[in-house]
Amino acid sequence: MPARKHFFTSESVGEGHPDKVCDQISDAVLDDVLRQDPYGRVACETYVTMGLLIVGGEITTSGFVDVHNLTRSVLKEIGYTHPKYGFDYHTCAVINTIHNQSADIAQGVDTGGAGDQGFMVGYACRETEELMPLPIMLSHKLVRRMADVRRQGILKYLGPDCKSQVTVEYHDGHIKRVDSCVLACQHTEEILDASKERITKKARQELIDVIADPILKEYVDKDTKYYVNETGKFVIGGPQSDTGMTGRKIVVDTYGGVAAPGGGAFSGKDPTKVDRSAAYMARYVAKNIVAAGLAEKCLLHLAYVIGRAEPLSIMVDTFGAGKLSEAQFIKLIRENFDLTPRGMIKSLDLLRPIYKKTACYGHFGRTEPEFSWESTDKAAVLKKQAGRL
């Protein structure tokens, strides 16, 4: 019987993409508050367009954030350091419209309740070492590679803005190969051909050889297709070419479309907002279930209401291949994980200034020490207790 074949595609965007610029600035503001005041409340959003950046939202803190200088510092670090990229940290206008958090919300959060209503999603699977879906992990690695190549001066013509997309072919649910790879790389005019409408064939191949091949080599074959700057050129990029806003890339931030992203974005929100803390806890729980060998993949839903601490509902889906019933999984979760906002913040040590690093290359599947929700420290206990159910 022939293998059942299907394809799945995920995308990622680099740190110079307008939406990711906004995510990083919002999380940089959050980190600056937490450095001074671990109990500060932050809901910060950023908007960027050609020559203009607006930072707004609600912040209550005993500290002080120099929004203008902080914003320019982030833009400089990203690489918007010259007018040739269409946006320059020296000259762009920065407007600060931040005000205090609503007292109506604060009175529910101060008692330990959730900072908002909504549902949050966690997911894990055995496709990669990170227990993440392969398409999104490869897409993240490609845009990170673009940034490394640019910063190291390996390809001097690259600009800060970039995107990637990877389509993986599966046979009977198992990874077979990478079917296609999309690279969109902002660049200066030096690699355009004589018509000035397309990059040269040499530059196109160079982008494949230097960026794509080191990341994808294990999965490509002679039939893998590459799409590089398919309009022909990508000179006009960043905020010059497109507006950006905090929170518009929640599928990129999570599981690349394999699992639903949940009800809210992450960046710019302190961990009393369950949009963030419960999504991190849901990933932590799902990853430990898979790491314990109790399921090949696990999807977890948590739902909350503003002002109340305990989740309204817990849903576990192991896609018919879990070693326990859903009721047994929920019992195991309740016994081993504190799902209240205060419990999640304490368990995952979330009152640290760690968030700017999360704003690019995904919030999940990371190995850096700041990403406490990626730990599998509960796996052995879950495995042991599951044997008694």
Side-chain angles (χ1 to χ4, degrees):
M1 184 176 178
R4 185 178 63 85
K5 184 189 301 186
H6 80 276
F7 299 84
F8 197 90
T9 301
S10 295
E11 70 157 347
S12 185
V13 299
E15 59 197 59
H17 185 281
D19 292 332
K20 280 291 146 200
V21 169
C22 294
D23 285 345
Q24 290 168 90
I25 290 170
S26 294
D27 272 337
V29 170
L30 170 61
D31 283 349
D32 204 37
V33 169
L34 292 177
R35 285 187 192 97
Q36 304 171 66
D37 177 12
Y39 299 100
R41 301 279 168 75
V42 180
C44 178
E45 300 200 24
T46 304
Y47 166 83
V48 68
T49 187
M50 185 185 299
L52 172 65
L53 193 145
I54 302 173
V55 183
E58 303 80 48
I59 296 180
T60 301
T61 179
S62 60
F64 170 74
V65 180
D66 185 343
V67 171
H68 286 261
N69 284 331
L70 180 64
T71 294
R72 295 187 196 281
S73 174
V74 173
L75 292 171
K76 180 181 179 182
E77 183 182 342
I78 290 170
Y80 284 112
T81 56
H82 194 281
K84 67 183 178 181
Y85 300 128
F87 199 77
D88 184 0
Y89 83 97
H90 294 98
T91 58
C92 69
V94 177
I95 298 175
N96 178 4
T97 64
I98 291 170
H99 57 90
N100 287 340
Q101 184 188 58
S102 163
D104 294 349
I105 295 174
Q107 69 180 11
V109 176
D110 291 343
T111 59
D116 203 350
Q117 70 177 50
F119 74 96
M120 293 78 211
V121 174
Y123 180 78
C125 64
R126 290 200 168 276
E127 287 188 17
T128 65
E129 289 182 4
E130 300 89 352
L131 302 186
M132 285 284 287
L134 181 64
I136 188 63
M137 290 306 297
L138 292 178
S139 296
H140 286 324
K141 289 176 181 179
L142 285 169
V143 289
R144 187 187 282 273
R145 174 68 179 165
M146 291 184 211
D148 291 343
V149 165
R150 172 173 57 87
R151 286 204 166 92
Q152 295 168 23
I154 297 170
L155 299 179
K156 298 181 185 299
Y157 49 78
L158 288 180
D161 196 358
C162 63
K163 299 176 75 171
S164 67
Q165 185 171 287
V166 176
T167 299
V168 174
E169 181 180 335
Y170 294 82
H171 288 189
D172 292 329
H174 299 288
I175 297 161
K176 180 67 175 178
R177 56 188 284 273
V178 166
D179 181 68
S180 68
C181 166
V182 177
L183 300 178
C185 312
Q186 186 186 13
H187 58 86
T188 54
E189 293 187 349
E190 65 192 85
I191 60 168
L192 295 178
D193 62 18
S195 72
K196 299 295 184 183
E197 294 301 319
R198 301 194 68 83
I199 62 172
T200 64
K201 290 181 179 179
K202 177 179 179 297
R204 179 185 182 277
Q205 191 60 49
E206 192 171 48
L207 291 167
I208 293 170
D209 293 343
V210 175
I211 294 170
D213 283 354
I215 303 300
L216 304 179
K217 57 186 176 182
E218 178 183 350
Y219 302 101
V220 300
D221 58 23
K222 63 181 178 59
D223 295 319
T224 298
K225 300 174 284 295
Y226 295 93
Y227 302 95
V228 180
N229 289 9
E230 281 296 294
T231 66
K233 63 180 180 178
F234 187 7
V235 174
I236 301 171
Q240 183 183 16
S241 67
D242 195 7
T243 59
M245 293 185 70
T246 300
R248 284 207 299 203
K249 288 293 180 285
I250 58 174
V251 174
V252 170
D253 286 341
T254 53
Y255 306 102
V258 171
F266 305 149
S267 289
K269 297 176 183 177
D270 75 77
T272 67
K273 281 77 172 172
V274 286
D275 281 344
R276 185 162 219 159
S277 53
Y280 291 174
M281 179 58 84
R283 162 65 177 170
Y284 179 53
V285 174
K287 186 173 183 180
N288 276 273
I289 286 172
V290 172
L294 302 180
E296 287 295 304
K297 51 186 176 180
C298 177
L299 177 69
L300 176 69
H301 277 219
L302 302 174
Y304 291 83
V305 63
I306 191 167
R308 292 189 175 271
E310 292 290 342
L312 296 181
S313 67
I314 303 173
M315 186 276 283
V316 182
D317 186 358
T318 53
F319 305 91
K323 295 186 177 180
L324 303 174
S325 68
E326 182 181 19
Q328 288 174 318
F329 272 120
I330 291 173
K331 182 175 187 295
L332 198 62
I333 290 167
R334 288 193 179 277
E335 289 176 352
N336 288 278
F337 300 93
D338 188 340
L339 301 179
T340 66
R342 285 178 176 171
M344 296 185 292
I345 288 168
K346 182 178 179 180
S347 299
L348 300 178
D349 195 12
L350 296 179
L351 294 180
R352 297 171 292 154
I354 58 173
Y355 295 103
K356 180 173 171 290
K357 189 175 281 189
T358 70
C360 236
Y361 312 121
H363 292 246
F364 308 121
R366 304 285 288 273
T367 58
E368 299 95 319
E370 294 89 347
F371 293 71
S372 53
W373 49 94
E374 290 298 311
S375 169
T376 54
D377 58 337
K378 295 274 193 178
V381 172
L382 294 179
K383 185 175 182 180
K384 183 177 180 180
Q385 292 184 8
R388 301 171 182 164
L389 295 176

